[in-house]
Structures are given as structure tokens and as C-alpha cells.
Amino acid sequence: MNTMSHQPRLERLRRRMEEAGIDVMLCFKPENSFYLTGFNPIIYSHPVVAILPREGKASMLVHALRDDHARASTFLEDIRLYGAWSTKVTMGPSWLEALKTMLTEGGFAEAVVGIEEDFLPMTRYRDLQGILPGARFADVSQLVFETRLIKDADEIANARAAAAIADVGMYAAVDAVGQGGNEREIAITSMAAMNRYWAETYPDAEVCDFGSLEGGVQNGLWTWVFTHERIFMNCDNPTVRRPVKGEPVFIDIWTIVNGIHAENERTVAVGTLPDEIKRAIESIIAIRESIVPLIKPGTPISELYAQARRGLEENGYGRFLPGRIGHGIGLGAHEGPSLDAKTSFPLEAGMLLTLEPNLRMPGVCGTQISDTILVTETGCECLTRSPNGFLQV
Amino acid sequence: MNTMSHQPRLERLRRRMEEAGIDVMLCFKPENSFYLTGFNPIIYSHPVVAILPREGKASMLVHALRDDHARASTFLEDIRLYGAWSTKVTMGPSWLEALKTMLTEGGFAEAVVGIEEDFLPMTRYRDLQGILPGARFADVSQLVFETRLIKDADEIANARAAAAIADVGMYAAVDAVGQGGNEREIAITSMAAMNRYWAETYPDAEVCDFGSLEGGVQNGLWTWVFTHERIFMNCDNPTVRRPVKGEPVFIDIWTIVNGIHAENERTVAVGTLPDEIKRAIESIIAIRESIVPLIKPGTPISELYAQARRGLEENGYGRFLPGRIGHGIGLGAHEGPSLDAKTSFPLEAGMLLTLEPNLRMPGVCGTQISDTILVTETGCECLTRSPNGFLQV
């Protein structure tokens, strides 16, 4: 635990809270409560509430059974408990009553309380209204989103580790394609290689992802494999289909280290591809190369999409335009911004993106190439390093 | 795809909709939209909307890039598209406008519209109010929860497969403890064994879990390992700590097959345990055995907790009572009901539960044993079959 690492993000959040007139912020969304506390319980069946006042100490409310785990993970000092578990002493059986006590004692009974309207379920919102009838609630979804856009030093270090693991998975997967494995064999070989590398190389890192109300995500080192017409599935479990000569295989690798994701996706030719497919892959590689110089502070995001569009149209692929050519990545495997025609705000140093202008030509073929890219002060740095030119086994 | 398998659940849902006066139900929660459609896109960054009218055809609204995947997965015939993707023809760029068209054309502009108030974010609720100003919204969270309690034949078959995979993982993990592996080595060995067994034994099964707004869950075959004081973490990533002689190791295995989860958790003694720890484990094994005969239709759930409590108190563990001794399992790894003192409704055939009365004695030790149990017409059946008595390596 680096007790200093969270200071930049909390300061940036507080500055925005000041601008928006928010007195205290409550975060329930797993990615956001982790962002404010450093604690990921992996499963969220018992709520974790991160409480950030504009001034004063941040605190966290967790179920008694999460006490030891929370203390071992968080950079906060103030941890409060609810519920019943063995000999733990708690504030009471209900998180809601405990939160009411904390907020009332903190002087927030009539405050402006920031909540995540893009995540908070309606019943939970009504519960909050019930315990704080004199408060005014305001949405902080956009405020937190904007703060998360710029990654802190610890997040960038975690992205580098996640990218390094993804590279290991890609080498193993490409090798397994060459060995003649079916989709599942390729995926399983690659995931096992990533897990071994993680276990040996990063003794202090966690690779769990963020769970939900009903489930937990214990291990987030994943390899997706798509062959033949299955490339049009985009997101699906690997099957027992075996690639055959003359077809492209999509390998999509998603990883996570200490809450930060990376993505490395490649299209691998099995033997010699038909000209039409080879031309599509080579066009996409050239289009990617034409976009990279634009990835630097100040470039409007829509310019990246416009450049991809020009390239696709010039190569005769104007009928097959994708909706977007990448997305933000960080605490979310897919988070904002969307790299599309409508997103016009400029890139800034510290943003983390995937670059993936790709083709889906129904009945013909497709391409899938993606890298995790950090926007730097002077340009950009590709964190995923495995070869991203034309790959053939 | 078994086109008949979904009929029982849709009929039960419609009967409850009739009782509650709901004209049409909209499900956004991943577990619930899967329940109504059979489609899991794995990542939910683009909403999937399941639309179930009380009478007439059910339908589903998905992003264009999910079209092929949805068609290959769902048991519904009516699939509508939104968004832009290659040559796909869609209802328009926005899911909200497309849903408005569907509901207006379906005659639901002034209907009673069921929504999941325990999941639906506030912004999405306001969006729905905006497109259906004449509708009345009613909560269907409890209605869907109650319907999900009783598993259909296809769900029970999937639970059996998930339990069989979990057993394979448990044998591999216990063996790896015996080989002297550290927490990560035990977990990785066990997860690899489960993946190989899945790949070879269940060619048509999927093992992805349900993702969230920002992330996808590609592979949900997980092994958790806890040694020494780390048993008090309950939910955490494995570390590089190696078990030593005389201590118990917790192995928690969670699996999923076609959306249905299983859980198999064991406490393994490494060498000879101190008497105090051995006695705790043996007491828990005896308490579990005393509860099993009560697991049958008609027993109030609180009776199971009461029996555990009696056993713990009789054995001198009254200070260490857990908050609950198990939970429902199915589309959620942890779903309702909670097996606690307050839940008084009776068990019914078709319910799927975990049984896990366990101890956490701070500074001393703990136990973790759990099985996935199906309530049958005459009693119960333990789906996880690996030995659950005293285990020692």
C-alpha cells in the first residue's frame, strides 16, 4: 500500500466538488469506491460505501466480514463496520442506519450530497432520501468520470504491468495457433501462461476484477479466440472449433493489475490468406499507423475517428465503418471516452486508450487489432508491445 | 439452444405479472435479461433490454454489434437492433429511441411497465419516464427474484455440470496443497484443471459470467486459496504465501456453466492440526450433518439457521455466530435467499442453495466448508460430490 499514491486523485476530485458545490460524495459503484479507497472486496453483495467530504477525512463503510480485507487494502484510515460477523463490533445491523449516523455526525444532514445517478439503483436512492430528508442530492457521475480520465502514477504503473501480462498471453496464444489448437485450447494455454507469469513476476499485485451485486470476479486474465464466422460474435466464449488454413484468427486479450486494465488484440493468419482478407488486414495496419502521430495532447478525439474514416474510405471500405475506433480503459475494461465521430474533447497527457479501428465485412472477413496506449506530454506510448504488424503462423 | 427450456420460467413470470397487474416488463439487469432471453453478451457497456409483455411475444433489443451473437444464443425470435456497426440495418442510433418505438407500437404507451428498481440506475429510469410519459412504472425486482428461486430443468442440468467442474478443481487443489504449492500455485493449478475438464467434457457449454457496464467476464472458473491469518479475508486474491505444517488451508471454488453457478469449499489440514483447530473443523462437519435432514420442502429457512446456532452453542462457539449459514445460488454466485435467522419462508423443490455454517475465531482459526445443494421433492441432493469430511494432506 502506497499511502501517497491516492493524493492526486482525491485532490482533483475535491477541486471538482468545490466547483460543483458538492459537500460530500457517496460512491457505491465498484470502480469508483475502489478509486476513492483502494479497496476491492471482489463481490459487492454487501455494499461498500466510500464517503468523501470536500473537506476533512475520507471514510469507508463495509460489512463486518470485510473488515480485515478492507484494512489490508485501503489507503484510508477511517473504516466503519455494519452487519454481524463473529466477534466484530459494528455500528448496527444495517448499512443504511450506519451511514445515517456517519453523515449526521459529520454535519451533512442538510448538505449537498453527491451520488452516482448513472449507477445508483432507484431503491438505494430512495433509501438515501429516507435517511437524509433535509439533504439535496446532486449527480457526480460526470465529475468522477472526468477525474478518472487522467491516470495517476500508480495507475500507469499498473497499466504497464497489465500490458506486460497481456503480451505474455499473446505470445502464448499465437504459438498455440501455430500448434494447431482449437479455440478453447488456444485460450486456455494463453490464460495459463499469463497466470504463471503473474504468479512469478508480480508477487504483490492482484488480478481480480470488480464484481457485482450477485457475483465476484476472482481472476481477470482472459483470452478470447474467434475463428471463421465466429469473428462476428465480437464477445463470446471460445468453442472447440479448430482454425483451418487460409483463415484469420482473432485473439483478444484482456488483463487487469490492481484494478487497472489492458487490452492486446491481434489477427493471426493461419497459412496463406486469400488476397481480399490479406488486403483488409494490411489496410488496417496502415490506417493504425496513420492515426498514431495524432495521439497527443490537444488532438480532439473525433479527429482520430475522422482519420480512420478517411483511411477506410480511401481503401474502399466506406460501407463498413465501425461505430467507434477505441475507448478509454482503466478501472473499466471499457470506459469512456468512446473514440467516435461525436466525442470532440481533446486528448490530455495521462489518458489511457485502446486504438482499434477494425473491419467487419459480413460474409467476407474482418480484422481485430488493438493496443493499450498512454497519452504522454509529447505524444503517446504503446504499452502493449507484442508485434502488431501482419502476423502469420 | 433448446427452444422449449425457457417456457416454464416465462409462464411463471407471466402468472406473477398477471397477479401484480404488470402489462409489460423491461429487464436490464444482466442475470435477469439472460433469464428472459438466453443471451449473455458478457460485457454490458451497450444495454441489452429484454421485453416481456404479459401477453404476446417476448423480444430483445441489442446493439448492432451484438446481432450475430444474440441470434446464436437466444431462444427468442424477435431481436431488434440499435446503434451503428458495419452494414447492419438498425432502428436508429439510440437504444432509448428504439425502445420507445417498440413500446409505442406494442400499445404500451399508457401501460403498467415493470422495471427493476433494485438495479435500474436513476438516469436510466428518468430516460424511461421521458419516452413513456403516460405509463405507470412498477417494481418487478421481487417478482423476478421469486421466480428465479425455483430452478427449471435446464438450470438444474447446468448446476450439475458446474458442480462437476468444481469437484475436478477441488481434487486438483487438494493435490496441489499436498505438493507444497503456495496459494497462487494451488489456485492456478486448480483453475487450469477445471478449464481442461470443461474444454474436453462440455463442448457446448459456456463458462463466461455476467459482466457489468464497464467490464466483461470471459471465464468464471475460479479457485480462491487462503492460508494462516488470510482466512479472515474471506474474499481475496491468492498470494505467494506457502502453507506450513499444522495449519488449515481454505479452498473456495466457484464455477459457472451456461449462466448457472456452483460452489465447493473445503478446509484442508496440512499435517497434524492443533487440537483446538481440529475440534472446530470436526464440530462444523457434525453441525452440517445435523442440518442436511432439514433441507426439504416445507422447512422454514430460519430453521436451518436455528439448527446451526444450536450446534455452535452446544459446542461452545456461541460467541462466534455467523450472520448467515448459506445463500441461494443460480444465475448469481450469491443470490437470495440468505440462510439467516430472519428469512422465514419455506424451502421448495427446485431451490438451489449453498450450505456453509462456518466459524471465524479471530486470532485462533476458522473453517470454510460449503456445498451446492438442490432441494428435491423428498429432501435434497448434494450436487458437489468431492469428500466433505475431515481432509488432511
Side-chain angles (χ1 to χ4, degrees):
Chain A
M1 189 186 92
N2 179 345
T3 53
M4 295 307 297
S5 66
H6 59 290
Q7 291 303 341
R9 77 193 64 155
L10 295 190
E11 273 166 31
R12 282 185 286 132
L13 279 167
R14 283 180 160 138
R15 207 156 49 233
R16 286 175 196 269
M17 287 169 74
E18 178 92 39
E19 287 163 16
I22 308 287
D23 295 314
V24 63
M25 188 159 83
L26 307 179
C27 286
F28 290 82
K29 189 175 180 177
E31 292 85 351
N32 293 347
S33 65
F34 175 79
Y35 192 59
L36 268 62
T37 68
F39 174 52
N40 174 11
I42 308 184
I43 183 165
Y44 287 78
S45 44
H46 301 284
V48 172
V49 194
I51 302 141
L52 181 67
R54 194 170 62 200
E55 289 161 11
K57 245 186 201 172
S59 52
M60 171 167 62
L61 177 63
V62 298
H63 190 281
L65 88 109
R66 307 275 174 247
D67 184 25
D68 295 59
H69 191 193
R71 278 175 209 284
S73 309
T74 186
F75 45 71
L76 301 183
E77 285 163 22
D78 187 23
I79 304 169
R80 312 287 180 96
L81 304 181
Y82 66 89
W85 197 256
S86 184
T87 56
K88 295 285 179 191
V89 178
T90 74
M91 295 179 70
S94 136
W95 66 267
L96 196 59
E97 284 301 313
L99 186 62
K100 179 180 179 175
T101 303
M102 290 173 72
L103 292 171
T104 308
E105 289 179 355
F108 298 115
E110 298 185 350
V112 180
V113 178
I115 53 173
E116 303 148 302
E117 296 195 351
D118 66 351
F119 177 79
L120 204 66
M122 293 166 60
T123 46
R124 211 166 264 184
Y125 174 56
R126 281 200 292 261
D127 286 342
L128 294 177
Q129 283 182 312
I131 59 166
L132 294 173
R136 189 165 72 76
F137 292 94
D139 188 17
V140 292
S141 308
Q142 184 66 18
L143 181 161
V144 179
F145 164 73
E146 286 173 9
T147 309
R148 278 175 51 182
L149 280 177
I150 307 300
K151 271 58 183 177
D152 286 334
D154 61 323
E155 296 183 298
I156 292 170
N158 290 326
R160 287 185 197 283
I165 293 175
D167 286 346
V168 167
M170 184 57 74
Y171 283 111
V174 173
D175 193 51
V177 176
Q179 304 283 328
N182 68 30
E183 287 185 358
R184 285 192 190 171
E185 290 162 350
I186 297 164
I188 290 171
T189 302
S190 167
M191 293 191 293
M194 290 195 285
N195 272 294
R196 279 195 307 274
Y197 185 71
W198 160 61
E200 290 160 10
T201 316
Y202 299 102
D204 298 322
E206 296 204 333
V207 296
C208 45
D209 208 328
F210 300 103
S212 65
L213 296 172
E214 299 195 7
V217 185
Q218 152 72 347
N219 189 290
L221 305 181
W222 291 315
T223 304
W224 317 64
V225 182
F226 302 91
T227 64
H228 202 53
E229 79 284 353
R230 296 195 66 260
I231 64 171
F232 298 105
M233 298 291 184
N234 295 310
C235 240
D236 196 11
N237 241 215
T239 70
V240 293
R241 189 178 180 286
R242 206 170 292 281
V244 297
K245 284 208 170 166
E247 69 182 27
V249 176
F250 288 7
I251 299 170
D252 299 356
I253 295 185
W254 295 10
T255 57
I256 183 168
V257 167
N258 295 331
I260 301 293
H261 294 79
E263 177 178 306
N264 177 342
E265 301 180 348
R266 301 287 183 257
T267 299
V268 180
V270 180
T272 306
L273 296 185
D275 288 348
E276 190 176 23
I277 304 183
K278 192 167 185 204
R279 194 177 81 78
I281 297 172
E282 288 176 339
S283 300
I284 286 296
I285 291 169
I287 289 166
R288 289 172 58 82
E289 283 169 7
S290 79
I291 294 170
V292 170
L294 302 175
I295 305 181
K296 60 186 179 195
T299 303
I301 285 173
S302 50
E303 280 294 307
L304 307 183
Y305 185 86
Q307 177 66 19
R309 181 183 183 133
R310 269 192 299 276
L312 289 165
E313 285 172 346
E314 282 167 15
N315 283 276
Y317 299 118
R319 282 177 59 220
F320 306 107
L321 295 181
R324 65 182 187 180
I325 60 153
H327 51 79
I329 186 166
L331 295 172
H334 282 196
E335 64 180 35
S338 206
L339 306 193
D340 59 26
K342 294 191 306 271
T343 307
S344 57
F345 66 79
L347 294 174
E348 284 181 61
M351 288 183 178
L352 198 62
L353 308 167
T354 67
L355 177 64
E356 42 183 331
N358 280 303
L359 280 169
R360 292 290 184 282
M361 299 189 282
V364 183
C365 75
T367 70
Q368 192 63 29
I369 305 175
S370 178
D371 281 297
T372 301
I373 294 180
L374 175 70
V375 182
T376 64
E377 295 292 340
T378 55
C380 67
E381 179 190 343
C382 190
L383 303 189
T384 38
R385 301 278 171 89
S386 74
N388 63 6
F390 189 82
L391 300 176
Q392 186 173 335
V393 295
Chain B
M1 186 187 91
N2 179 347
T3 53
M4 295 306 297
S5 66
H6 59 293
Q7 291 303 341
R9 77 193 64 157
L10 296 190
E11 274 164 32
R12 281 184 288 133
L13 279 168
R14 282 178 161 140
R15 207 156 49 231
R16 287 174 194 270
M17 288 169 73
E18 177 91 39
E19 287 162 16
I22 308 288
D23 296 315
V24 64
M25 188 159 82
L26 308 178
C27 285
F28 290 82
K29 189 176 180 177
E31 292 86 352
N32 293 347
S33 65
F34 175 79
Y35 192 60
L36 268 62
T37 67
F39 175 53
N40 174 10
I42 307 185
I43 184 166
Y44 287 79
S45 44
H46 301 285
V48 172
V49 195
I51 302 140
L52 181 68
R54 194 170 62 201
E55 289 162 11
K57 245 186 202 170
S59 52
M60 172 167 61
L61 177 64
V62 298
H63 190 280
L65 87 108
R66 306 276 174 245
D67 184 25
D68 295 60
H69 191 194
R71 277 174 211 287
S73 308
T74 186
F75 44 71
L76 301 183
E77 286 164 19
D78 188 22
I79 304 170
R80 312 289 180 92
L81 304 181
Y82 66 87
W85 196 256
S86 183
T87 56
K88 296 285 179 191
V89 179
T90 74
M91 294 178 71
S94 135
W95 66 269
L96 195 61
E97 285 301 312
L99 186 62
K100 179 181 179 173
T101 303
M102 290 173 72
L103 292 172
T104 308
E105 288 179 356
F108 297 114
E110 298 184 351
V112 180
V113 178
I115 54 173
E116 304 148 301
E117 296 195 351
D118 67 350
F119 176 80
L120 204 68
M122 294 165 60
T123 45
R124 209 166 264 182
Y125 174 57
R126 281 200 290 263
D127 287 342
L128 294 177
Q129 284 182 311
I131 60 166
L132 292 173
R136 187 164 75 76
F137 292 94
D139 187 17
V140 291
S141 307
Q142 183 65 18
L143 180 161
V144 179
F145 163 73
E146 286 173 8
T147 309
R148 278 175 50 182
L149 280 178
I150 309 299
K151 271 57 181 176
D152 286 333
D154 61 321
E155 295 182 297
I156 293 170
N158 290 326
R160 285 184 198 285
I165 293 174
D167 285 345
V168 167
M170 185 55 74
Y171 284 111
V174 174
D175 192 52
V177 176
Q179 303 283 325
N182 68 30
E183 287 185 358
R184 285 192 190 171
E185 289 162 351
I186 297 164
I188 290 171
T189 301
S190 167
M191 294 192 291
M194 291 195 285
N195 272 294
R196 280 196 306 274
Y197 184 73
W198 160 61
E200 289 160 9
T201 316
Y202 300 102
D204 299 322
E206 296 202 333
V207 296
C208 46
D209 208 327
F210 301 105
S212 66
L213 297 169
E214 299 195 7
V217 185
Q218 152 72 349
N219 190 288
L221 306 181
W222 291 314
T223 303
W224 317 65
V225 182
F226 302 91
T227 64
H228 201 52
E229 79 284 355
R230 295 195 67 258
I231 64 171
F232 299 105
M233 298 293 185
N234 296 308
C235 240
D236 195 14
N237 242 217
T239 69
V240 292
R241 188 177 181 286
R242 205 171 294 278
V244 297
K245 285 209 170 164
E247 70 181 26
V249 176
F250 288 6
I251 299 170
D252 300 355
I253 296 187
W254 295 10
T255 57
I256 183 169
V257 167
N258 296 329
I260 301 292
H261 293 79
E263 177 177 307
N264 177 342
E265 301 179 349
R266 300 289 183 257
T267 299
V268 181
V270 181
T272 306
L273 296 185
D275 287 348
E276 190 176 22
I277 305 183
K278 191 166 184 204
R279 193 177 82 79
I281 297 172
E282 287 176 338
S283 300
I284 287 297
I285 291 169
I287 290 167
R288 290 172 57 81
E289 284 170 6
S290 79
I291 295 172
V292 170
L294 302 175
I295 305 181
K296 60 187 178 195
T299 302
I301 286 173
S302 49
E303 281 294 307
L304 307 183
Y305 186 86
Q307 176 67 20
R309 182 183 181 132
R310 267 192 300 275
L312 289 166
E313 285 171 347
E314 282 168 14
N315 283 277
Y317 300 118
R319 282 178 59 219
F320 307 107
L321 295 180
R324 64 182 188 180
I325 59 153
H327 51 79
I329 185 167
L331 295 172
H334 282 196
E335 65 181 31
S338 206
L339 307 193
D340 59 26
K342 294 190 306 268
T343 307
S344 57
F345 67 80
L347 295 174
E348 284 182 60
M351 287 183 178
L352 198 62
L353 309 167
T354 67
L355 176 64
E356 42 182 331
N358 281 303
L359 280 170
R360 292 291 184 282
M361 298 189 283
V364 183
C365 74
T367 71
Q368 191 64 29
I369 305 175
S370 178
D371 281 297
T372 301
I373 295 181
L374 176 68
V375 183
T376 63
E377 295 293 340
T378 54
C380 69
E381 180 190 343
C382 189
L383 303 188
T384 36
R385 302 278 171 90
S386 74
N388 62 6
F390 189 82
L391 300 175
Q392 186 174 334
V393 295

